[in-house]
Amino acid sequence: MTKEERLKVYKEAEELWGLIAQYDQAIEEMGELIVAINKYKRKCLYGEYKENKKVEDNLVEEIADVKMCLEQLEDFVGSEKVNAIFDVKMQKLQEQIKYMRELKNNKN
C-alpha cells in the first residue's frame, strides 16, 4: 500500500471514529509496545519466554501498530514540522555518538 493510500485510510478512520479516538488508539498501541519490548528483553536477557516464539511475533506486531499510529499522528500535525525536528534530533544523536566515541578512545 502506498503512503497516499495509507493516508486516505487514516482519514477515513478519523472521520469514522473521531480525532480523539485516534489519539487514544495511539496511546494504547504505544503502551502495548512497551509491554512487548519488556517481554522480549526478558526473553533475550534472562531466558524468560525462552520457547515462546509469540513473544517476538508480538513485538513485531506492536511495532507495526505504533508505526501506523505515528504516521497518522504525523499527518495530523504536519509531516514538514515533524521532519524538521527529526533532522535536528538526528544531528544531535550523531554529535552524542561522536562525543562518546571520543571519550572511549581517550580512556584507551
Side-chain angles (χ1 to χ4, degrees), residues 26-84:
I27 292 166
E28 180 180 329
E29 296 299 346
M30 288 180 218
E32 290 173 1
L33 178 58
I34 291 168
V35 172
I37 290 169
N38 279 329
K39 283 185 177 181
Y40 187 73
K41 183 175 68 174
R42 290 197 316 259
K43 178 180 180 175
C44 294
L45 295 177
Y46 310 117
E48 291 182 46
Y49 311 105
K50 189 175 183 178
E51 303 301 320
N52 191 343
K53 170 85 169 94
K54 291 181 180 181
V55 170
E56 183 175 345
D57 293 344
N58 183 248
L59 175 60
V60 171
E61 182 177 340
E62 297 306 335
I63 290 169
D65 287 343
V66 169
K67 186 174 180 177
M68 286 174 48
C69 290
L70 288 175
E71 189 173 54
Q72 187 177 23
L73 291 170
E74 181 178 321
D75 186 54
F76 291 161
V77 300
S79 58
E80 308 81 26
K81 293 177 187 176
V82 174
N83 288 334

Side-chain angles (χ1 to χ4, degrees), residues 16-30:
L16 182 61
W17 292 298
L19 184 59
I20 299 302
Q22 297 311 109
Y23 287 135
D24 289 342
Q25 187 66 38
I27 292 166
E28 180 180 329
E29 296 299 346
M30 288 180 218

